[in-house]
């Protein structure tokens, strides 16, 4: 449940557009629904841009009605499709995009995505008179200025569901498992999953891995009878194959661990109740912020309230993993 700010409508819009961009995340659909329904309720037409910025550059925009977003609040993925668009990094292509929007009489744009997508949104707002509002949509929860992102909660629960099953077989065979979760640059997902799964160890890109210490810890726990099977949650990091290499290093220390890469399963599935409420609130509030005259902002969550954050800060600063939370993940298995 979030506290929603009261915003006074100060400007009119005939039409706005909404797009989803970057890696999809469960909850993008309820966010799109929130934008579309909130705008239509205020007499604003809404275009759905297909396939993120690539679809925008291709002029693939479709007028949406209330029934376009019927029966999607519970669906994973994004009905608008998504893409990572290299071409959008070029200013001349962004100028084309602005013209395409203007030709349709579109004065506002809502962009739902991660840091790359929000960078594109900031550039558009800076380089044109379009009103642009971003929403944080990523399973990584690594966006500066918001405590939560659309899809994070669902991804944590998807990983937990898998790990609970892995624990059964780990325990039957008295084996340790290295379970790789997503997170190229950040360990939020790994840390939350590690705490919630009661993992023996969590490996994240933010901190160095002490593999010898890990090996000793696993052997010690086997010897002392505390645990002959355990879960080590590993964030994928920037270095492909990290989890297999860690497993090999543990093998050289006398362990015989197995590896399970959860991969894109974490990006799919029905959004959790938490993500549906978050996404619906952010989607509807994006329209309120546009009407209140805001642009070049992201709408996010801070201390239980919906807040606006300048996109400039969102893309300039890095959200740091709370070291206390990480320590907690390591402490609780002892
Ligand atoms: O940014 C979200 C994310 O799921 C990361 O956790 C992951 O590293 C990446 O996307 C994978 O991207 P792709 O689907 O393009 O391989």
């Amino acid at each position: 449940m979030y506290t929603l700010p009261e915003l006074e409508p100060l400007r009119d819009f005939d039409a706005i557009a909404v797009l989803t961009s970057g890696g999809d995340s469960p909850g993008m659909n309820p966010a799109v629904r929130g934008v579309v329904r909130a705008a239509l309720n205020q007499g604003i037409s809404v275009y759905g841009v297909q396939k993120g910025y690539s679809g925008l550059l291709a002029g693939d925009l479709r007028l949406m009605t209330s029934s376009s977003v019927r029966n999607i609040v519970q669906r994973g993925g994004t009905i608008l499709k998504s893409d990572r668009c290299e071409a959008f990094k070029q200013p001349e292509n962004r100028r084309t995009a602005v013209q395409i929007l203007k030709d349709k009489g579109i004065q506002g744009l809502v962009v739902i995505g991660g840091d790359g997508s929000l960078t594109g949104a900031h550039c558009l707002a800076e380089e044109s008179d379009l009103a642009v509002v971003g929403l944080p949509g990523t399973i990584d929860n690594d966006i500066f200025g918001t405590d939560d992102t659309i899809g994070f909660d669902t991804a944590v629960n998807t990983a937990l569901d898998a790990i609970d099953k892995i624990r059964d077989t780990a325990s039957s065979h008295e084996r340790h498992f290295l379970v790789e979760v997503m997170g190229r640059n950040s360990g939020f997902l790994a840390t939350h999953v590690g705490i919630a799964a009661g993992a023996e160890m969590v490996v994240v890109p933010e901190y160095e891995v002490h593999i010898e210490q890990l090996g000793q810890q696993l052997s010690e726990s086997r010897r002392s009878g505390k645990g002959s099977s355990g879960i080590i949650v590993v964030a994928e990091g920037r270095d492909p194959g990290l989890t297999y290499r860690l497993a090999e290093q543990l093998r050289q220390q006398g362990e015989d661990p197995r590896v399970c890469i959860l991969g894109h399963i974490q990006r799919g599935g029905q959004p959790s109740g938490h993500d549906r409420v978050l996404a619906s609130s952010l989607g509807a509030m994006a329209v309120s912020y546009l009407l209140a005259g805001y642009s070049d902002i992201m709408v996010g969550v801070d201390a239980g309230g919906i807040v606006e954050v300048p996109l400039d800060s969102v893309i300039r600063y890095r959200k740091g993993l709370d070291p206390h939370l990480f320590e907690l993940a390591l402490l609780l298995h002892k």
Side-chain angles (χ1 to χ4, degrees), residues 14-19 32 35-36 39-40 44-50 56 59-65 80 100-101 103-110:
D14 296 323
I16 63 168
V18 55
L19 63 82
V32 170
V35 173
V36 171
L40 293 177
I44 305 167
S45 303
V46 190
Y47 286 87
V49 182
Q50 305 294 304
L56 178 54
D60 194 354
L61 284 74
R62 304 178 194 176
L63 207 48
M64 302 188 82
T65 64
L80 293 180
I100 288 170
L101 292 166
D103 288 349
K104 292 207 177 292
I106 294 165
Q107 304 127 315
L109 176 68
V110 179

Side-chain angles (χ1 to χ4, degrees), residues 103-159:
D103 288 349
K104 292 207 177 292
I106 294 165
Q107 304 127 315
L109 176 68
V110 179
V111 172
I112 307 165
D115 50 359
S117 312
L118 297 174
T119 304
H122 172 60
C123 293
L124 276 181
E126 250 194 350
E127 295 162 1
S128 73
D129 59 358
L130 271 177
V132 185
V133 169
L135 298 182
T138 165
I139 65 163
D140 294 343
N141 199 7
D142 60 347
I143 308 285
F144 179 85
T146 184
D147 292 342
D148 204 356
T149 58
I150 297 165
F152 177 66
D153 180 69
T154 308
V156 169
N157 284 301
T158 301

Side-chain angles (χ1 to χ4, degrees), residues 23 84 138-140 182-184 236 264 267:
R84 299 189 195 274
T138 165
I139 65 163
D140 294 343
M182 277 190 165
R184 230 181 334 230
E236 62 178 329
H264 286 77
R267 288 238 298 260

Side-chain angles (χ1 to χ4, degrees), residues 36-247:
V36 171
R37 293 259 165 98
L40 293 177
N41 283 333
Q42 319 246 15
I44 305 167
S45 303
V46 190
Y47 286 87
V49 182
Q50 305 294 304
K51 232 175 179 242
Y53 292 123
S54 309
L56 178 54
L57 290 176
D60 194 354
L61 284 74
R62 304 178 194 176
L63 207 48
M64 302 188 82
T65 64
S66 184
S67 61
S68 317
V69 291
R70 188 166 46 87
N71 206 16
I72 66 163
V73 74
Q74 80 285 12
R75 280 171 56 190
T78 160
I79 58 159
L80 293 180
K81 316 252 182 249
S82 195
D83 197 17
R84 299 189 195 274
C85 179
E86 277 299 309
F88 209 70
K89 292 183 178 158
Q90 306 304 324
E92 64 273 22
N93 290 332
R94 293 197 294 272
R95 280 195 288 278
T96 307
V98 170
Q99 201 49 53
I100 288 170
L101 292 166
K102 290 208 159 160
D103 288 349
K104 292 207 177 292
I106 294 165
Q107 304 127 315
L109 176 68
V110 179
V111 172
I112 307 165
D115 50 359
S117 312
L118 297 174
T119 304
H122 172 60
C123 293
L124 276 181
E126 250 194 350
E127 295 162 1
S128 73
D129 59 358
L130 271 177
V132 185
V133 169
L135 298 182
T138 165
I139 65 163
D140 294 343
N141 199 7
D142 60 347
I143 308 285
F144 179 85
T146 184
D147 292 342
D148 204 356
T149 58
I150 297 165
F152 177 66
D153 180 69
T154 308
V156 169
N157 284 301
T158 301
L160 289 175
D161 184 50
I163 291 175
D164 290 347
K165 293 182 173 109
I166 292 168
R167 258 204 200 278
D168 292 342
T169 174
S171 144
S172 307
H173 287 268
E174 299 194 324
R175 278 173 179 157
H176 297 301
F177 267 80
L178 291 130
V179 182
E180 184 180 291
V181 299
M182 277 190 165
R184 230 181 334 230
N185 300 310
S186 70
F188 287 95
L189 187 59
T191 303
H192 280 246
V193 168
I195 291 173
E200 274 54 39
M201 174 65 88
V202 179
V203 176
V204 294
E206 287 88 341
Y207 298 106
E208 210 186 321
V209 198
H210 298 288
I211 196 73
E212 273 180 25
Q213 201 180 318
L214 172 59
Q216 280 163 11
Q217 200 173 302
L218 295 179
S219 311
E220 174 53 28
S221 104
R222 198 186 285 283
R223 267 196 306 274
S224 68
K226 177 178 171 279
S228 46
S229 65
I231 302 289
I232 298 123
V233 176
V234 183
E236 62 178 329
R238 286 171 287 273
D239 199 3
L242 167 75
T243 310
Y244 283 105
R245 278 198 300 284
L246 292 178

